[in-house]
Amino acid sequence: MTDRVEQEPGYVLHRRNYRETSLMVDLFTLNHGRLTVISRGANSPKSPLKAQLQPFQPMLLSWQGRSDLKTLTSAESRLGPNLSRTERLYCGLYLNELLQRLLPPQEPHQTLFAQYIETLDELASAHEFEPTLRRFEARLVEALGYGFDWGMATDSGRAVLSGQHYYYDPEQGVVETSSPNSLLQGLRGDVLLGLSDQRLDTPDARRTAKRVMRVLIDHLLQGRELHSRALFTRWRGDKDET
């Protein structure tokens, strides 16, 4: 039996040419998670879908098909946040690539979907992007089963103490004792406690959150490069951005 889905809320994560006149489109949807569809004829000059299937715009999507690769049957776009400025655009591309690379296919993540919408809105208006990116990364790794408590050392089961220093292991979280998997060291207890309360209002907190999330995301990527990170790095001339 052919599966048919109608009017599903979702967003375009990425699209690429498929055969001569079609597009292969990666979507993030409310009830079906991440999936890939073929939009037949959408890459032809007269197709309205070529202009509609753009990232960061809320959409109502319909598709059908028997295999894992579905065929898009309709797409209705709505006005979304304005991420046209270069830095905002690169941040949005970073979010999309994380979802595209890390989310397993066709698993619903309604809470993460709501966080994605909120994050896009924040990026469109925020003056500082790092706290917004770090909050989204935290929700994403939680959805993937890699969330951890900043205020608890998992190897000892003891609460983090303000005056001590700790390690970070992507498989365990914050730990007291170094091991071969402890990829970060010297993490200040007072900063970790602030992060456990979701405080990202100091340079030390932002720096620590960025270092930890970079290590964890790289661990989950298993050596795959993020193209959006490379773009951002080249644009800023800086090796430590998103």
Side-chain angles (χ1 to χ4, degrees), residues 49-187:
L49 286 174
K50 189 171 186 177
Q52 286 180 301
L53 293 170
Q54 299 291 340
F56 319 127
Q57 308 305 306
M59 308 193 76
L60 291 176
L61 301 150
S62 301
W63 63 82
Q64 64 181 22
R66 296 180 181 179
S67 67
D68 290 339
L69 188 61
K70 311 296 185 184
T71 298
L72 190 71
T73 55
S74 70
E76 301 174 21
S77 61
R78 301 289 187 267
L79 186 64
N82 183 0
L83 301 184
S84 59
R85 289 180 57 186
T86 304
E87 191 168 15
R88 301 179 197 276
L89 174 62
Y90 283 174
C91 288
L93 293 175
Y94 172 69
L95 300 182
N96 283 5
E97 192 172 12
L98 287 180
L99 293 171
Q100 182 192 8
R101 295 291 190 91
L102 296 179
L103 277 187
Q106 300 190 43
E107 289 187 8
H109 290 282
Q110 286 94 346
T111 301
L112 184 63
F113 187 85
Q115 182 71 36
Y116 177 75
I117 295 173
E118 181 179 329
T119 301
L120 291 182
D121 288 339
E122 288 182 9
L123 288 177
S125 58
H127 297 292
E128 297 183 1
F129 305 116
E130 283 200 30
T132 299
L133 294 177
R134 300 295 87 80
R135 284 191 291 268
F136 182 80
E137 290 167 344
R139 298 292 84 76
L140 174 59
V141 298
E142 285 177 7
L144 296 172
Y146 278 81
F148 62 94
D149 186 345
W150 295 91
M152 181 67 65
T154 57
D155 57 339
S156 66
R158 290 191 288 262
V160 166
L161 298 177
S162 178
Q164 292 190 13
H165 289 78
Y166 295 85
Y167 303 87
Y168 178 73
D169 177 343
E171 289 287 347
Q172 297 187 71
V174 177
V175 292
E176 285 187 4
T177 305
S178 177
S179 73
N181 292 325
S182 301
L183 301 182
L184 293 176
Q185 61 182 346
L187 303 179

